[in-house]
Structures are given as structure tokens and as C-alpha cells.
Amino acid sequence: MGKSLIQLKYPDQEAIRRKLIPILENKQVRLPTPEYLIPTLKQKAQPSSIKTPIFKFSFVKTAFKSLIGHSDWVRVIAFSANGKYLVSGSNDRTVRLWDVQTGQIIHLFKGHKERVKCVWIDDRTKQIISGSADSTLKLWNLENGDLLNTIETSLNPKTVLNAIAIIPEQQLIVTGSTSVQGTIKRWHWQTGEMLDAVNAAFSGINSLALSADNKILASGSGGRTIKIWHLDRGLQKPQVIPNAHESDILSLAICDRILISGGKDRTLKLWILETGEKWRLLHMLKGHVGSIWDLAISPDGKTLASASGDFTVKVWEIETGKLLETLTGHLVEVRTVAFSPDGKILASAGDDWEIKLWNM
């Protein structure tokens, strides 16, 4: 990040060589400490070898529980509707079911050939659905861990399944993937039948979000465009928000008539979806210094959590756009966040292989 800032300020390479002057150690210098670096600095600091501390640490909230078991990056997490279970998917190609209260693993699901990028859980139907970069969807039995069905979403080995959205009442799975183009498909989860498909973007589909009434689907692509699909008319004639971000759109969430997007450009944007298929920008939230990988909205619709490549989770007030909290417990990129159904717990996970539970 420092190198990027220098290049931005001094694009002329000759200027860089002139401006960069070695600075001798000065123990009297007090440097401001970015919040996202505090956990790393705490680990690296050795009080016995530092007579005069250079950094002053502020109070950092800590997670009350960590779920440990994955052996690679944790890409996605989701709570069950009753709040008892949490399901996670990882680059270690496994899906794991956890008991939230005890922190113990209930089931370990193996079968995907590539990293697991999407999960969904329903304690009523006792089913878990997982999607992988190997372009397969797998349906698992929550109670005994059995594999119920596998759906091959593409025969192209270069296709990567990036996102899913589930409509349980209709037993529908919507998938978003990337290969030559970004494709959205709808599947019947019991039969594995593909109902319809559309080339939705010239680049990959990175994220999907579904409204609570299952009528509106939003898709975000690497082409900086958000498309809003009205599912009552199928995957046809989407509403388009062009150039929604300055780079790839990585995460989406919908709360009532508010669509929230997070991008590689490190910004969050809140869009109001108005009648007549119009839209307008409500807030643009800045504060992250890394890509925004995932978003979660609290059950009461008042609070937004964002997971970022800057090692932090930030909690925002949706109505005002105010930053409420910055959680700095992870030492690497945070890939995913999720609220418990009662809104009392926020879970986060990322490249440190751990799932952290925060008391909200």
C-alpha cells in the first residue's frame, strides 16, 4: 500500500529517486497507527527489546469465540434460521457444519474438487447446499452428512462458480459464474434440471443477492456493472446500473428497497431502488483500504457489516451511513461475514483459517 501511495503521489520515476531519502531511527517520532494494523503490531511487538514504545495501542474488541478446523482460507459462512448451526466453505475443498454454542464440528462434508465458494443452510428442510470453483452444486443432509445430489452447472473446465442465491419455496438455485462470459442460470435443486440461462456480463459474475420476497435478484460483475433482475418475468430485460464502481463489483446485499454493493475500489455504495425501474445513490461509504469481499445485513435491517482485504470488518448504520465499529481481530484478509438470525452474533472468517464470533 505504501508503494502504491508513493507511485500515486510521484508518478515520475525520476521524482521517486529524488524524493526517497533514508531516515535514521528517531525514538521520539510518534507515528499514527492505522486501526487495521493494530493486531499485527501487537503480535510483532517485543516489549523486552523496546525501551521506549513507538506505537500507542488503543483498546481493540476481541471475538468471544473462534471456530478452528479448516486447513485453508475460509471463503464463505452462513447461519441456520434457528441460530444453532453455522456452515462454512473453504479453499481446503470441504464444507463444515458447526455447533454455534459449543464451537464443535458436527459434520465434515468432502466431495468438491476445488475451493468451496458458496454455502446455504436450511434447518427446516435439513439441507445444506454448497457451490465450488469446480462448477458443481452439492446438496447434503444436515442431520447425517449424506450427499443427496450433485449438479454439474457447466461442462467447461475453465468455468468457475462464484455465487448462488436460493429460493427454497420453489426449490430453485440461481448460480452466477465466470468463463468466457458471466452467466446466470436457474436450477431445480431436486431434479438438477436447468430451467433457464442468460449471458449476463462480458466478464465474470462475482456476486448475487436476492430480496427477502424473492422477487428481485441483483448481480455484480467484473465489468463494474450491476444488473437488477425482476424474477417474475424471468432472466429478461434487467435494470442496469452502469459504472456502479470504478472496478470489479465483489459483493452485494439487498435490504427492502436498498441495494448495497462493495467493490475492489474499496468503497461501499447504497442504492435506492425506486418504482419505474429507477435507482439513485443514497450513500457512498469510505473507510476500507482493501477490497470489500462480502456484506451482511442485520435481521432488523438497520446495520451493515463489511469484510475487507484490509484485515478488518466494519459495522455501519444503514440509514445514515455512519461507521459504528471496526473489528480488527483477523491478521489477514477477511473474506466473509454473516449475522445470526437474532442479530446478537456477527461471524467473520478469512485467510487465517478461523471463524470468529463477535458479540454485537
Side-chain angles (χ1 to χ4, degrees):
M1 286 185 291
K3 177 182 174 184
S4 299
L5 288 171
I6 292 170
Q7 289 177 338
L8 180 64
K9 191 170 182 178
Y10 305 114
D12 178 10
Q13 294 301 312
E14 288 301 320
I16 293 177
R17 282 190 282 272
R18 287 197 306 271
K19 296 286 185 179
L20 295 185
I21 303 170
I23 299 175
L24 298 177
E25 181 182 2
N26 183 352
K27 293 185 178 181
Q28 300 305 314
V29 173
R30 296 294 186 266
L31 300 176
T33 306
E35 290 183 337
Y36 60 90
L37 289 181
I38 291 173
T40 305
L41 294 171
K42 278 188 171 180
Q43 271 204 346
K44 292 184 176 180
Q46 300 293 333
S48 59
S49 62
I50 300 177
K51 296 179 181 179
T52 305
I54 296 176
F55 298 99
K56 292 183 179 180
F57 301 114
S58 59
F59 174 74
V60 178
K61 288 196 173 183
T62 57
F64 72 87
K65 187 177 295 183
S66 292
L67 310 182
I68 300 174
H70 281 293
S71 59
D72 209 329
W73 298 358
V74 182
R75 303 299 294 259
V76 61
I77 52 178
F79 279 97
S80 62
N82 61 12
K84 294 181 179 180
Y85 309 112
L86 185 141
V87 63
S88 59
S90 168
N91 278 17
D92 65 12
R93 305 176 185 179
T94 69
V95 177
R96 296 173 191 247
L97 181 67
W98 307 81
D99 185 303
V100 174
Q101 185 174 4
T102 65
Q104 298 300 309
I105 295 176
I106 300 173
H107 290 301
L108 171 63
F109 306 95
K110 294 183 178 180
H112 285 296
K113 297 177 181 178
E114 292 290 343
R115 60 195 182 276
V116 179
K117 304 196 71 175
C118 334
V119 292
W120 176 85
I121 181 172
D122 186 6
D123 54 79
R124 292 161 295 185
T125 60
K126 308 298 183 185
Q127 293 193 57
I128 291 172
I129 298 176
S130 59
S132 167
D134 63 13
S135 293
T136 63
L137 292 167
K138 291 186 180 291
L139 282 71
W140 312 87
N141 185 296
L142 183 154
E143 292 187 318
N144 57 29
D146 288 348
L147 178 63
L148 303 175
N149 194 14
T150 297
I151 301 173
E152 297 278 352
T153 65
S154 176
L155 298 178
N156 183 348
K158 294 184 179 180
T159 300
V160 177
L161 176 61
N162 285 326
I164 60 174
I166 311 294
I167 307 177
E169 295 79 10
Q170 303 174 35
Q171 294 193 334
L172 288 181
I173 305 174
V174 184
T175 59
S177 60
T178 178
S179 56
V180 178
Q181 291 182 314
T183 306
I184 296 176
K185 299 178 181 180
R186 293 198 295 180
W187 306 82
H188 190 278
W189 85 31
Q190 294 295 348
T191 65
E193 176 188 3
M194 187 179 72
L195 304 178
D196 54 0
V198 62
N199 289 328
F202 292 110
S203 55
I205 299 296
N206 295 325
S207 54
L208 296 173
L210 193 64
S211 62
D213 59 7
N214 298 325
K215 293 182 178 180
I216 295 176
L217 175 76
S219 62
S221 75
R224 303 181 294 178
T225 299
I226 297 174
K227 292 188 177 181
I228 301 162
W229 310 81
H230 297 266
L231 294 180
D232 55 353
R233 62 187 183 214
L235 299 176
Q236 303 293 329
K237 297 180 179 179
Q239 180 182 354
V240 179
I241 304 179
N243 298 314
H245 286 262
E246 294 180 4
S247 55
D248 296 8
I249 296 160
L250 302 175
S251 51
L252 292 170
I254 299 177
C255 176
D256 295 328
R257 301 298 295 179
I258 297 178
L259 170 66
I260 305 168
S261 58
K264 196 174 181 179
D265 61 3
R266 302 170 292 181
T267 65
L268 286 159
K269 294 188 178 182
L270 279 66
W271 312 85
I272 294 182
L273 306 180
E274 300 178 330
T275 56
E277 299 193 2
K278 297 180 181 180
W279 51 267
R280 62 184 174 91
L281 182 63
L282 175 64
H283 297 302
M284 181 168 70
L285 310 181
K286 295 182 178 181
H288 281 297
V289 292
S291 300
I292 299 171
W293 291 112
D294 196 19
L295 302 171
I297 297 174
S298 61
D300 61 8
K302 296 181 180 180
T303 307
L304 169 71
S306 53
S308 172
D310 63 12
F311 307 178
T312 73
V313 175
K314 290 185 181 292
V315 182
W316 313 79
E317 186 176 59
I318 291 177
E319 184 178 0
T320 64
K322 178 183 177 182
L323 178 62
L324 301 176
E325 196 78 56
T326 298
L327 307 178
T328 57
H330 292 278
L331 300 176
V332 285
E333 296 197 32
V334 188
R335 300 280 177 172
T336 180
V337 284
F339 279 101
S340 63
D342 60 7
K344 293 181 180 180
I345 297 174
L346 177 66
S348 62
D351 297 0
D352 56 5
W353 311 357
E354 290 187 21
I355 302 165
K356 293 185 180 295
L357 303 183
W358 308 83
N359 190 331
M360 295 302 296

